[in-house]
Short mmCIF file of all heavy atoms in Angstrom, two decimals:
data_model
loop_
_atom_site.label_atom_id
_atom_site.label_comp_id
_atom_site.label_asym_id
_atom_site.label_seq_id
_atom_site.Cartn_x
_atom_site.Cartn_y
_atom_site.Cartn_z
N GLY A 240 60.47 39.94 29.77
CA GLY A 240 60.34 41.37 29.51
C GLY A 240 61.70 42.00 29.26
O GLY A 240 62.73 41.36 29.33
N PRO A 241 61.67 43.28 28.95
CA PRO A 241 62.92 43.99 28.68
C PRO A 241 63.72 44.17 29.95
O PRO A 241 63.17 44.05 31.04
CB PRO A 241 62.42 45.35 28.15
CG PRO A 241 61.09 45.52 28.80
CD PRO A 241 60.50 44.16 28.92
N PRO A 242 65.01 44.46 29.85
CA PRO A 242 65.78 44.76 31.05
C PRO A 242 65.12 45.90 31.81
O PRO A 242 64.51 46.78 31.22
CB PRO A 242 67.16 45.19 30.50
CG PRO A 242 67.21 44.57 29.15
CD PRO A 242 65.81 44.54 28.63
N GLN A 243 65.25 45.86 33.13
CA GLN A 243 64.58 46.87 33.95
C GLN A 243 65.07 48.27 33.61
O GLN A 243 66.25 48.50 33.40
CB GLN A 243 64.85 46.58 35.43
CG GLN A 243 64.15 45.33 35.90
CD GLN A 243 64.53 45.01 37.32
OE1 GLN A 243 65.69 44.88 37.64
NE2 GLN A 243 63.54 44.88 38.17
N ARG A 244 64.11 49.22 33.57
CA ARG A 244 64.48 50.61 33.38
C ARG A 244 65.29 51.08 34.58
O ARG A 244 65.18 50.54 35.66
CB ARG A 244 63.21 51.46 33.23
CG ARG A 244 62.61 51.32 31.85
CD ARG A 244 61.42 52.24 31.74
NE ARG A 244 60.21 51.62 32.22
CZ ARG A 244 59.53 50.71 31.55
NH1 ARG A 244 59.95 50.29 30.40
NH2 ARG A 244 58.42 50.20 32.04
N ILE A 245 66.07 52.12 34.38
CA ILE A 245 66.96 52.59 35.44
C ILE A 245 66.42 53.87 36.04
O ILE A 245 66.62 54.94 35.50
CB ILE A 245 68.39 52.79 34.93
CG1 ILE A 245 68.90 51.46 34.37
CG2 ILE A 245 69.29 53.31 36.02
CD1 ILE A 245 70.28 51.53 33.79
N PRO A 246 65.71 53.78 37.16
CA PRO A 246 65.24 54.98 37.86
C PRO A 246 66.32 55.51 38.77
O PRO A 246 67.37 54.89 38.93
CB PRO A 246 64.04 54.45 38.66
CG PRO A 246 64.36 53.02 38.89
CD PRO A 246 65.20 52.56 37.74
N ARG A 261 62.18 50.72 41.71
CA ARG A 261 61.19 51.78 41.82
C ARG A 261 60.71 51.84 43.27
O ARG A 261 60.48 50.82 43.89
CB ARG A 261 60.02 51.48 40.90
CG ARG A 261 60.40 51.58 39.45
CD ARG A 261 59.18 51.44 38.61
NE ARG A 261 59.29 50.24 37.81
CZ ARG A 261 58.52 49.96 36.78
NH1 ARG A 261 57.55 50.78 36.44
NH2 ARG A 261 58.67 48.86 36.10
N GLU A 263 57.84 53.58 45.87
CA GLU A 263 56.59 54.32 46.03
C GLU A 263 56.42 54.62 47.51
O GLU A 263 56.41 53.70 48.34
CB GLU A 263 55.41 53.49 45.53
CG GLU A 263 54.08 54.20 45.71
CD GLU A 263 52.92 53.37 45.17
OE1 GLU A 263 53.11 52.62 44.19
OE2 GLU A 263 51.83 53.46 45.77
N GLU A 279 56.73 44.79 46.20
CA GLU A 279 55.50 44.48 45.46
C GLU A 279 55.89 44.43 43.99
O GLU A 279 56.01 45.45 43.33
CB GLU A 279 54.45 45.56 45.71
CG GLU A 279 53.08 45.24 45.13
CD GLU A 279 52.07 46.30 45.51
OE1 GLU A 279 51.96 47.31 44.77
OE2 GLU A 279 51.40 46.13 46.55
N GLY A 280 56.11 43.21 43.48
CA GLY A 280 56.64 43.07 42.12
C GLY A 280 58.04 43.67 42.07
O GLY A 280 58.90 43.33 42.87
N ASP A 281 58.25 44.60 41.14
CA ASP A 281 59.58 45.22 41.05
C ASP A 281 59.63 46.57 41.76
O ASP A 281 60.56 47.32 41.60
CB ASP A 281 60.00 45.38 39.58
CG ASP A 281 59.17 46.42 38.86
OD1 ASP A 281 58.05 46.70 39.32
OD2 ASP A 281 59.62 46.95 37.83
N ARG A 282 58.61 46.86 42.55
CA ARG A 282 58.58 48.13 43.31
C ARG A 282 58.82 47.86 44.79
O ARG A 282 58.58 46.78 45.29
CB ARG A 282 57.21 48.80 43.18
CG ARG A 282 56.88 49.32 41.82
CD ARG A 282 55.53 50.02 41.84
NE ARG A 282 54.50 49.12 42.33
CZ ARG A 282 53.29 49.51 42.73
NH1 ARG A 282 52.98 50.78 42.72
NH2 ARG A 282 52.40 48.63 43.15
N GLU A 414 54.35 36.97 35.58
CA GLU A 414 53.65 37.78 34.59
C GLU A 414 53.40 39.19 35.11
O GLU A 414 53.46 40.17 34.36
CB GLU A 414 52.33 37.10 34.21
CG GLU A 414 52.54 35.86 33.34
CD GLU A 414 51.29 35.00 33.23
OE1 GLU A 414 50.26 35.33 33.86
OE2 GLU A 414 51.34 33.99 32.50
N GLY A 415 53.11 39.31 36.42
CA GLY A 415 52.92 40.62 37.03
C GLY A 415 54.18 41.46 37.01
O GLY A 415 54.13 42.68 36.75
N VAL A 416 55.32 40.84 37.26
CA VAL A 416 56.60 41.56 37.22
C VAL A 416 56.85 42.07 35.81
O VAL A 416 57.25 43.23 35.61
CB VAL A 416 57.76 40.65 37.69
CG1 VAL A 416 59.10 41.31 37.43
CG2 VAL A 416 57.61 40.32 39.16
N VAL A 417 56.62 41.22 34.81
CA VAL A 417 56.83 41.63 33.42
C VAL A 417 55.91 42.80 33.07
O VAL A 417 56.35 43.79 32.47
CB VAL A 417 56.59 40.44 32.46
CG1 VAL A 417 56.59 40.92 31.01
CG2 VAL A 417 57.65 39.38 32.66
N ALA A 418 54.65 42.71 33.46
CA ALA A 418 53.69 43.78 33.16
C ALA A 418 54.10 45.08 33.83
O ALA A 418 54.03 46.16 33.23
CB ALA A 418 52.29 43.37 33.60
N ALA A 419 54.56 45.00 35.09
CA ALA A 419 54.96 46.21 35.82
C ALA A 419 56.16 46.88 35.16
O ALA A 419 56.26 48.10 35.13
CB ALA A 419 55.27 45.86 37.27
N GLU A 420 57.08 46.09 34.62
CA GLU A 420 58.27 46.65 33.98
C GLU A 420 57.93 47.40 32.70
O GLU A 420 58.69 48.25 32.26
CB GLU A 420 59.29 45.55 33.69
CG GLU A 420 59.96 45.04 34.94
CD GLU A 420 60.91 43.89 34.67
OE1 GLU A 420 60.95 43.39 33.53
OE2 GLU A 420 61.61 43.50 35.60
N ARG A 421 56.79 47.09 32.12
CA ARG A 421 56.40 47.76 30.87
C ARG A 421 55.65 49.06 31.12
O ARG A 421 55.38 49.80 30.19
CB ARG A 421 55.55 46.81 30.03
CG ARG A 421 56.38 45.66 29.49
CD ARG A 421 55.57 44.69 28.69
NE ARG A 421 56.45 43.64 28.17
CZ ARG A 421 56.07 42.40 27.95
NH1 ARG A 421 54.83 42.03 28.19
NH2 ARG A 421 56.91 41.52 27.47
N LEU A 422 55.30 49.33 32.38
CA LEU A 422 54.61 50.57 32.71
C LEU A 422 55.60 51.73 32.70
O LEU A 422 56.78 51.54 32.99
CB LEU A 422 53.96 50.46 34.09
CG LEU A 422 52.80 49.47 34.21
CD1 LEU A 422 52.38 49.35 35.67
CD2 LEU A 422 51.63 49.92 33.36
N PRO A 423 55.15 52.94 32.43
CA PRO A 423 56.07 54.09 32.50
C PRO A 423 56.53 54.31 33.93
O PRO A 423 55.76 54.10 34.88
CB PRO A 423 55.22 55.27 31.99
CG PRO A 423 53.81 54.83 32.18
CD PRO A 423 53.80 53.33 32.04
N TYR A 424 57.77 54.70 34.09
CA TYR A 424 58.32 54.92 35.43
C TYR A 424 57.96 56.31 35.93
O TYR A 424 58.16 57.31 35.25
CB TYR A 424 59.84 54.75 35.41
CG TYR A 424 60.47 55.17 36.71
CD1 TYR A 424 60.23 54.44 37.87
CD2 TYR A 424 61.27 56.30 36.78
CE1 TYR A 424 60.78 54.83 39.07
CE2 TYR A 424 61.83 56.69 37.98
CZ TYR A 424 61.58 55.95 39.12
OH TYR A 424 62.13 56.34 40.30
N ILE A 425 57.39 56.37 37.13
CA ILE A 425 57.07 57.65 37.76
C ILE A 425 57.90 57.74 39.03
O ILE A 425 57.61 57.05 40.02
CB ILE A 425 55.57 57.75 38.10
CG1 ILE A 425 54.74 57.54 36.84
CG2 ILE A 425 55.25 59.11 38.73
CD1 ILE A 425 53.26 57.48 37.08
N PRO A 426 58.97 58.53 39.05
CA PRO A 426 59.85 58.55 40.22
C PRO A 426 59.16 59.09 41.46
O PRO A 426 58.42 60.06 41.40
CB PRO A 426 61.01 59.46 39.78
CG PRO A 426 60.43 60.30 38.70
CD PRO A 426 59.38 59.46 38.01
N LEU A 428 56.70 58.20 43.27
CA LEU A 428 55.24 58.36 43.25
C LEU A 428 54.72 58.41 44.68
O LEU A 428 55.05 57.57 45.51
CB LEU A 428 54.61 57.18 42.51
CG LEU A 428 53.09 57.16 42.45
CD1 LEU A 428 52.59 58.33 41.62
CD2 LEU A 428 52.62 55.85 41.86
#
Side-chain angles (χ1 to χ4, degrees):
Q243 291 175 305
R244 283 183 273 284
I245 301 178
R261 292 187 244 194
E263 178 179 328
E279 187 176 88
D281 69 338
R282 292 183 303 165
E414 287 166 358
V416 171
V417 171
E420 288 176 353
R421 290 178 178 150
L422 292 173
Y424 172 67
I425 303 174
L428 178 65

